[in-house]
Amino acid sequence: PEQPLRVILETKHRAGKTVTIVYGFIGSEEAMSDLGKALKNHCGTGGSVKDGEIIIQGDHRQKVFQYLKQKGYTKVKL
């Protein structure tokens, strides 16, 4: 999929907790939810999918980046 996805780390507004956020996903809510579920399983952690963002708890930028590349997402930026 030719999607310009961004993988970022954020700590603001999260009670000091670090989260990895994937945004820029284009597609159905269901497809995004499935990708979010797959990423949570891959990282072995919790998270959520809302407001067009996939939120993974903790710093999993490298894992998420590698997983997306492996799944064929070519335009992924850290």
Side-chain angles (χ1 to χ4, degrees):
E2 288 287 310
Q3 296 191 31
L5 296 176
R6 295 273 295 143
V7 179
I8 61 166
L9 196 66
E10 191 176 276
T11 51
K12 294 185 187 93
H13 315 296
R14 310 226 180 246
K17 302 264 191 299
T18 302
V19 293
T20 303
I21 298 179
V22 180
Y23 68 92
F25 186 85
I26 303 157
S28 69
E29 197 70 35
E30 194 178 328
M32 191 162 84
S33 189
D34 289 346
L35 180 60
K37 199 173 197 174
L39 284 170
K40 287 187 287 187
N41 282 341
H42 182 71
C43 295
T45 186
S48 64
V49 176
K50 61 181 177 204
D51 305 329
E53 296 178 335
I54 298 171
I55 301 164
I56 307 295
Q57 294 170 358
D59 182 355
H60 294 288
R61 285 173 298 184
Q62 287 303 324
K63 270 188 182 175
V64 168
F65 181 75
Q66 296 298 336
Y67 182 84
L68 291 172
K69 283 286 193 196
Q70 186 183 329
K71 289 293 176 193
Y73 290 90
T74 51
K75 297 182 176 178
V76 183
K77 286 188 185 137
L78 280 175

